[in-house]
Structure formats: C-alpha cells, structure tokens
Amino acid sequence: MKKIILTALVITLCGIPVFAGGGNEQPQQSQQQGGVIKIWVGAEAVSFYQQKVNEYITKNNFQYAITVEGVDAGAAAAKFLDDTAAGADIFSIAHDNLGRLIAGSSAIGPITDQALLRQILNDNPAIFHNVIKGTVGGTEYTFGIPYRAQSLVLYYNKKYLTDDDVKTWEGIWAKAKAAGKQSVTINGDDGYNNSFLVLATKASDHTPIADLYLNNVLTACNFNSDLAVATMHWGQRFFTDTSPDGRIFYGAKRVSDSGWEVELRNEASLSLIGGAWNYSAARAALGSNLGIAVLPNFTLTTQDVAGTNVAANTVMRSGTFADTVMFVMKKYNINDRAEAARAAAVQQILLYLSSIDIQEAAFNAIQNLPAFKNARAEFAGVRANTTEGLLARMQLEMFDRGRPQPFGANTRMNLWYYQSGAPQIVLDILTNAGNSYDTTAKIKTGMATVESIWRTGRRP
C-alpha cells in the first residue's frame, strides 16, 4: 500500500465504555443467526481473507456470516468516520491513523478479549506495543491488532552495483559517478519517502539524529543536535553533486517528471528508496537485474562534522519508519445483549485473522509482510531463496534500524510533521535550494524552522 498522509480531524462521539452498533448489510451467503460481520482489507487481499473466514465459519459453526470488502488501509479511517453506522465491523489501518479514530471519545472500540490481548503482547515486536494503544477519557486502551508490517528498502540495479557496493551510499555514489549515472531516486518529496536522513542513527550506538514526539508528547521534538547538523551537511553533498553541466545528479535526486520507473528502466538511476508497494514496478523495470537491500550506511567526513562535536569518520545508518498495519474494530453497545455478543464474536475473528498461521499464509499467498516478531526465523517463505523472500527479509532487517511513526496519539502530530511545510524545508536544505543553505548557520536556521513546525505547526 502507499503511504497516505493524513489531515487533522477531531471528532466527538459517545463515551468509550459504551459501544455504537454495527451495520445490517446481509450478503447472499448469510444464513447465520447473528447477521453479517463486515471486514475491510486492501483490494489485493479480499479473496484471501474471504476464503479464510469462510473456512473459519465452517470449522467453528460460527453464528455470523462474514463479508470481506476492498478498502485501502490509507483510506479506511476516513471512510469509516464518514458513516460509522454503515462502516465495517473490522477494518485495516496504518497505525498512524489511530489518533483520528480515537479523538474525542473514540469512534472505535478497545480490545477486551483476554486471549486476543495476550496474543498481541506475545506475538509482536516491542516497537509495536505502544503505537497500537490510545488514551480516551484518561484511560489507556489497546485498540490495534497488528497483522502486517512495512518499511522502506533499497531497490537497485545489479548490472552496475554489487552486494558490497550497496552496503554504503559512498559505494553506490562512486559507481554512479564512474558510470555517469545518478546514485538513487527518492520516491517522493514528503516526510515519509524522503526520511532516510532525518531518521538516521549512529551505527555504533543507534543514537538518532532527531527526536519526534517522544513519549507521545506533542512538543518533544528535536532537530538541532550536532549529529543532525553533520548529517544534513553530508546529505547536502549527496544531493548536490552533479556533472559540470548540471544535467546528471551523481548522488541523490528527487523524482523527475518521467517517473522513477523510467529512470530505473533506462538506467539513468542505479537505485530507488521504496516500499513493498513499489516492488512490482521495480521488478518490471529491472527484471533479473533487480537487487534488494537495506538502506545503506554513510560516513561523516571532516567536512561534514566541522563546527560540531561529532568525530570525523562517524558511521551512520539510514533510517526508516518501521510500521504496522493493524486491524481495529467498531464500537458496540455492551449493555445491549446482542451487540455484546457481536463484540465477542468480532474479537474471536480478530484472534484468528492476526494469528501466526494466518499471517504466514497471507505472506505466502499475497506477500503481506508479517508483523509476527519471529517471522524471519520461523516462516519458510520469508527464509526462501526468492525475490519475495529477500524483500521480506530486507524489510524486517530495516526494523532493526527503524522506528514506528509516532503520530497516532494526537492528530496534530501527523499534520505538523507531514503537511505544515517541514518536508519541503528538509528537501530545500539537502538540495541547497536557491543557495539559501550554503553555510552551517543557514542550515541550522532551516533545521530550527523544521523543529518549530514539528512542535507547534508554525514557523518561528
């Protein structure tokens, strides 16, 4: 799926202990006494999940019919909020959508089934434990059930780059310069696709260059560390290294009008920073020359660290948002006997759909990257010597150097990080737009503006 950047939305609904009712739509196969449970997943996953829930109904003599419909995870929250009564009983969202769904008194219901809560805790990596929770009325609840994961990786052309080359940006950069090519295309100018430097960390101790909404605090952001300054200096060198005529960007370059697929296919660019949703197009562009790797390391030079307390030759790791896609459920009125029974049934389905067995089957059938913390070791398809297995392993390896988007606690976090102008300033610094960031002092001023936007939504 593609990353969808959200706008702020504040909603006021009924209190959290009382749950709103479900829809009444009846599919043709409905003959169960309890009615119909509606599920939304991505269009590519509808057939798979419909088959699995049909198997569940048959095996367990389930008292509800289940219909699965295609709604993209990036659009599901908005669609649900448009008409919660007609919305799905279960739907899939990226975890950073959670804030808008629980704003006010919440439009979705918390998980109460103890077996499901235990499975969530036991099966998922620790970095997911907080982003699936939210506080409503002063009480923290678990709302999300992780079942998929996603992160950015490097797609590259094996005709020009070896496995050793792609371990570092400098290795790619040297090969690109020698061949008269650009090193990498970024998939977008936004704060998600162009985040590999903002989210970078020191290789030795994983110190991040930037803090984003630590502990879910709106003002807990920092983009003024010496490590950040040195990294942005390195990034500016990488983004501005061009041929004498200015026509070829030897380092990084934003997407051209022709598109990154054309740049890869025509060998103008040697690599792309992208997600699993770019895999099919990258494979079509490069064919048997497609390679996949984690985002490379880079080394801060004496030039980069000048005027900071950072040591020259400090090795840095490119970063990514390492996210979960999760199921959430509609609210039900638990004081109503029928709706309380429905809420219990929905959570049994969620227990099943997020189970290890279904996650593995979903990877094998439709390449859903599992959220299960031990998938790299335990899922045969992930370990397999296939391009799909490699893509899964590289995404999961990026989880070791990534962080979840910390935007689910408050709708303003997502808005201020993505849509209030900060991503454009970051790109302007990296590209030295209009020669406006050609000194350390100017770079620091730009970074201070970015930090102010993250913290307040406004320029200083």
Side-chain angles (χ1 to χ4, degrees):
M1 57 160 256
K2 293 184 179 179
K3 170 73 190 143
I4 304 296
I5 300 174
L6 304 173
T7 57
L9 178 62
V10 178
I11 54 176
T12 303
L13 298 167
C14 56
I16 192 71
V18 180
F19 301 88
N24 295 315
E25 184 178 342
Q26 299 287 336
Q28 291 183 353
Q29 82 270 27
S30 177
Q31 53 191 23
Q32 279 76 12
Q33 296 176 356
V36 181
I37 290 173
K38 186 191 300 183
I39 300 175
W40 290 344
V41 296
E44 75 288 345
V46 168
S47 295
F48 171 81
Y49 284 105
Q50 187 68 67
Q51 175 188 346
K52 292 303 176 184
V53 294
N54 288 347
E55 292 172 1
Y56 183 88
I57 289 170
T58 301
K59 182 177 180 180
N60 295 281
N61 193 27
F62 196 58
Q63 295 303 301
Y64 297 80
I66 303 176
T67 181
V68 182
E69 300 176 356
V71 178
D72 184 81
K79 181 178 175 66
F80 181 80
L81 290 171
D82 283 343
D83 188 348
T84 57
D89 297 270
I90 297 169
F91 57 101
S92 178
I93 64 167
H95 75 259
D96 60 311
N97 284 223
L98 183 59
R100 71 192 308 198
L101 289 167
I102 65 172
S105 56
S106 183
I108 57 175
I111 304 306
T112 57
D113 183 86
Q114 293 304 305
L116 180 53
L117 288 169
R118 285 193 299 272
Q119 180 171 286
I120 292 169
L121 181 64
N122 293 336
D123 289 356
N124 290 287
I127 62 172
F128 289 168
H129 289 174
N130 289 329
V131 298
I132 61 177
K133 297 178 181 179
T135 299
V136 179
T139 302
E140 184 178 72
Y141 301 91
T142 296
F143 288 99
I145 305 98
Y147 77 104
R148 286 172 50 197
Q150 60 185 28
S151 63
L152 296 175
V153 295
L154 186 78
Y155 298 105
Y156 68 94
N157 191 333
K158 293 193 294 185
K159 177 179 176 182
Y160 293 89
L161 300 172
T162 67
D163 291 346
D164 283 338
D165 291 332
V166 299
K167 291 178 180 177
T168 67
W169 285 120
E170 287 85 358
I172 298 173
W173 196 353
K175 285 290 184 70
K177 200 164 187 173
K181 312 286 186 182
Q182 66 193 50
S183 295
V184 64
T185 302
I186 58 172
N187 197 13
D189 298 346
D190 59 88
Y192 184 87
N193 288 295
N194 185 29
S195 61
F196 73 106
L197 294 179
V198 170
L199 302 179
T201 59
K202 189 190 294 186
S204 60
D205 60 10
H206 306 169
T207 300
I209 76 162
D211 295 328
L212 289 171
Y213 309 111
L214 294 179
N215 301 315
N216 294 330
V217 176
L218 194 61
T219 57
C221 299
N222 183 295
F223 197 40
N224 60 24
S225 69
D226 280 0
L227 198 60
V229 173
T231 297
M232 295 304 283
H233 268 297
W234 183 94
Q236 191 177 98
R237 289 195 299 111
F238 192 45
F239 273 79
T240 59
D241 184 24
T242 64
S243 58
D245 60 7
R247 296 176 60 188
I248 301 173
F249 286 77
Y250 294 133
K253 183 176 177 292
R254 64 201 305 176
V255 177
S256 68
D257 291 340
S258 61
W260 63 262
E261 299 98 326
V262 173
E263 292 183 347
L264 285 184
R265 184 180 301 110
N266 293 345
E267 301 181 349
S269 183
L270 299 188
S271 66
L272 168 81
I273 298 173
W277 48 94
N278 303 124
Y279 167 65
S280 294
R283 182 177 59 182
L286 293 179
S288 62
N289 286 323
L290 174 64
I292 308 172
V294 297
L295 299 182
N297 290 352
F298 57 98
T299 300
L300 302 176
T301 66
T302 301
Q303 179 182 350
D304 301 323
V305 304
T308 73
N309 63 7
V310 180
N313 300 317
T314 295
V315 178
M316 305 294 295
R317 304 195 308 181
S318 298
T320 181
F321 283 125
D323 295 335
T324 181
V325 177
M326 62 190 190
F327 288 123
V328 293
M329 61 181 260
K330 178 181 286 189
K331 287 201 305 189
Y332 302 94
N333 181 359
I334 59 175
N335 295 317
D336 178 276
R337 186 173 180 179
E339 290 206 18
R342 189 182 185 89
V346 163
Q347 290 180 83
Q348 289 305 301
I349 293 297
L350 287 168
L351 182 72
Y352 169 71
L353 292 180
S354 61
S355 67
I356 295 172
D357 288 346
I358 298 300
Q359 287 193 48
E360 182 169 20
F363 174 75
N364 292 335
I366 53 176
Q367 283 73 59
N368 274 2
L369 183 71
F372 175 49
K373 64 184 180 183
N374 294 329
R376 272 185 287 183
E378 297 184 19
F379 286 5
V382 173
R383 300 196 311 270
N385 185 26
T386 62
T387 309
E388 291 78 12
L390 176 63
L391 173 60
R393 292 193 300 275
M394 294 303 98
Q395 287 183 89
L396 292 171
E397 190 170 330
M398 281 304 300
F399 272 67
D400 298 336
R401 57 181 70 193
R403 68 180 93 171
Q405 292 181 75
F407 309 132
N410 189 309
T411 55
R412 287 176 291 179
M413 294 173 179
N414 189 293
L415 176 68
W416 293 352
Y417 178 79
Y418 283 116
Q419 295 197 54
S420 296
Q424 185 59 52
I425 297 172
V426 170
L427 188 63
D428 286 347
I429 294 170
L430 292 173
T431 59
N432 189 23
N435 290 319
S436 297
Y437 299 97
D438 55 355
T439 68
T440 298
K442 292 177 182 178
I443 289 175
K444 287 183 176 180
T445 298
M447 293 170 66
T449 300
V450 170
E451 181 182 313
S452 177
I453 293 172
W454 289 349
R455 291 162 54 94
T456 69
R458 300 183 302 274
R459 294 171 179 258

